[in-house]
Amino acid sequence: MPGDGETVTRRSESRTEARSRSRTEARSDSRTETPSGNGSASVPSRGLVLLFAIACGASVANVYFSQPLLVTMGHDVAMGPAPVGSVVTLTHVGYGLGLFFLVPLGDVTGRRRLVVAQLLLLVAALAVVATARTAATLLAGMAATGLLAVVTQTLVAFAASLAPPAGRGRVVGTVTSGVVIGILLARTVSGLLADLAGWRSVYLASASVTALLALILYRVLPRHRGTAPTTLRYGQLLRSTVTLFAREPLLRLRALFGLLVFAAFSTLWSSVALPLSEAPYHWSHTAIGALGLVGVAGALAATAAGRLNDRGLSRRTTGIALALLAASWLPLAFTRSSLWALAVGVVLLDLAVQAVHVTNQTLIYALRPDAGSRLIGGYMVFYSIGSATGALAATSLYTVAGWGAVCALGAAFSCLGLVLWALTRHDPRHAAPDCGNSCETT
């Protein structure tokens, strides 16, 4: 019958197109793994990975610069103590919106072009903040800064797409170390610069650094994506982000881990300034910001966590990290009587959070490399929810019940994560994708 003949013809053409796409993707993968044609397996290079980490850290720091500067900023633009808190809120709201509406664009367009465009727009937003003379202008600039700072996650997805599967954990771990170091050092840098040259210098300096990074990345980033772009339209792209959560049990589980560990992370870092600014310490804002230097030691462990994931030890890495996270609250509970206990707790907490975070991102990207930006953007929405929940709960609880209650809250978030891991670790639906018989679950 003619209809059958047409069906056979269409099937034949479909198989031909599929073979053609396969050959094209194979050539693309080959170029991605050895772009210089020298057969090197270390791709992307260490220098490029380090550049990704620096750009991520510098970008995400813009979300946190304002925290030690709120009082000064408020006085300068005639904002009262209550409304000035909306500076931080709007920045995080902008960041959350960017995760959902901007990061998925990395799956449909050239990531190099998207990164550079977002960085240049971020420069403009930072300039608005630095020159703001009214509260409305300042708030608009901060919201735009948060929205565009999600270039961090575009860079994480880009780096993951360029890495061969066997080395993806190491690459994601290194880049994530840059993200966390940027978060931890943001308060230190902003406090020092503000003391030297005023709060506006913080955002002028950041705008200059961001512009320089845009130029360097434009010249250095590879033009190829590492994965083929999707043909979805923008509305379909956003819907598919939600669909991925419905279809992928591992993504849902890892998003819950992310929510809980960043709720614990935010519980500490949003409230630790309160006991340190009181007796017996009476630390200045600059001294409190310097505490982030201690946290960097833990953040540097993210690369080691990535290597463990490359060896198929994602389940064990997650369980050990969550146990360390729960244990970190014991020394943190003695903050008022011992700075050594505080330092030990900070290092353990940051180490544990970053180990889980790197494991999460490495595993979820491997689910669908072609949807890497949507997966990481969607996952990071849960990160934002956890961070906001921890910050709001910790500061409110400290007011009514003190530091001991805050530590109990952080321990509760941590123990919930550990219980979730114990309940799901043998579930085959949560197995790491494509890791063969040596794979561990969750």
Side-chain angles (χ1 to χ4, degrees):
M1 293 177 63
D4 293 340
E6 291 174 0
T7 300
V8 171
T9 301
R10 283 196 298 269
R11 288 176 177 171
S12 176
E13 291 173 350
S14 177
R15 286 194 295 269
T16 301
E17 291 174 0
R19 285 194 295 269
S20 177
R21 283 196 302 270
S22 177
R23 288 192 295 269
T24 300
E25 291 170 359
R27 288 194 297 270
S28 176
D29 290 343
S30 176
R31 286 195 299 272
T32 300
E33 293 180 6
T34 57
S36 302
N38 58 8
S40 173
S42 180
V43 177
S45 67
R46 290 182 179 179
L48 182 57
V49 174
L50 181 61
L51 180 60
F52 271 111
I54 293 171
C56 284
S59 299
V60 78
N62 291 295
V63 178
Y64 298 90
F65 280 147
S66 65
Q67 292 185 359
L69 310 176
L70 290 178
V71 174
T72 305
M73 294 170 75
H75 287 159
D76 207 9
V77 297
M79 293 179 71
V84 77
S86 61
V87 169
V88 174
T89 302
L90 280 177
T91 306
H92 282 279
V93 168
Y95 194 80
L97 292 173
L99 289 171
F100 186 78
F101 290 103
L102 294 184
V103 174
L105 290 173
D107 289 335
V108 296
T109 189
R111 288 193 175 114
R112 171 176 171 270
R113 181 170 53 189
L114 180 61
V115 164
V116 173
Q118 285 184 306
L119 287 173
L120 292 177
L121 290 172
L122 181 56
V123 171
L126 291 167
V128 169
V129 173
T131 58
R133 298 298 173 185
T134 66
T137 304
L138 176 64
L139 293 175
M142 294 303 299
T145 296
L147 181 74
L148 294 163
V150 296
V151 67
T152 302
Q153 303 309 321
T154 304
L155 285 163
V156 171
F158 197 174
S161 73
L162 296 175
R168 186 170 292 139
R170 177 184 61 82
V171 170
V172 172
T174 301
V175 174
T176 300
S177 292
V179 175
V180 181
I181 291 171
I183 293 173
L184 293 174
L185 295 187
R187 301 168 184 85
T188 306
V189 171
S190 63
L192 289 173
L193 282 178
D195 287 343
L196 292 172
W199 73 268
R200 296 180 187 275
S201 69
V202 176
Y203 292 94
L204 287 173
S206 183
S208 301
V209 170
T210 303
L212 179 61
L213 283 170
L215 175 62
I216 294 173
L217 291 171
Y218 176 77
R219 296 177 63 87
V220 172
L221 288 181
R223 294 180 181 272
H224 60 84
R225 298 170 42 88
T227 55
T230 182
T231 58
L232 295 175
R233 295 179 180 178
Y234 184 65
Q236 295 173 320
L237 189 73
L238 298 183
R239 287 193 295 272
S240 72
T241 302
V242 178
T243 302
L244 286 168
F245 276 91
R247 292 179 177 175
E248 300 290 352
L250 179 61
L251 176 59
R252 295 195 296 272
L253 177 65
R254 288 289 159 176
L256 286 175
F257 281 145
L259 187 153
L260 291 169
V261 299
F262 278 103
F265 181 86
S266 186
T267 295
L268 172 67
W269 287 106
S270 64
S271 62
V272 71
L274 300 174
L276 293 178
S277 62
E278 299 171 350
Y281 301 117
H282 298 293
W283 280 13
S284 66
H285 290 301
T286 300
I288 293 171
L291 185 63
L293 295 171
V294 178
V296 168
L300 291 174
T303 302
R307 291 194 179 98
L308 290 173
N309 281 285
D310 290 338
R311 293 168 55 190
L313 299 175
S314 57
R315 177 187 63 82
R316 192 174 306 174
T317 301
T318 302
I320 293 173
L322 288 170
L324 287 176
L325 183 61
S328 69
W329 291 100
L330 181 60
L332 287 171
F334 293 93
T335 292
R336 287 191 178 277
S337 59
S338 172
L339 290 177
W340 283 109
L342 171 63
V344 170
V346 165
V347 171
L348 287 177
L349 182 138
D350 286 349
L351 186 157
V353 169
Q354 296 324 306
V356 177
H357 187 41
V358 170
T359 303
N360 289 346
Q361 292 190 101
T362 303
L363 291 179
I364 64 175
Y365 185 89
L367 287 171
R368 288 274 307 276
D370 62 307
S373 291
R374 280 166 285 167
L375 289 166
I376 289 179
Y379 161 76
M380 289 299 294
V381 169
F382 282 77
Y383 149 93
S384 293
I385 294 171
S387 295
T389 301
L392 180 62
T395 52
S396 301
L397 193 59
Y398 184 85
T399 303
V400 298
W403 180 247
V406 170
C407 291
L409 174 68
F413 285 133
S414 307
C415 290
L416 279 175
L418 188 59
V419 169
L420 181 62
W421 171 81
L423 293 176
T424 59
R425 63 191 178 120
H426 295 307
D427 190 334
R429 296 176 302 168
H430 302 131
D434 302 325
C435 53
N437 293 331
S438 62
C439 177
E440 291 185 332
T441 57
T442 65

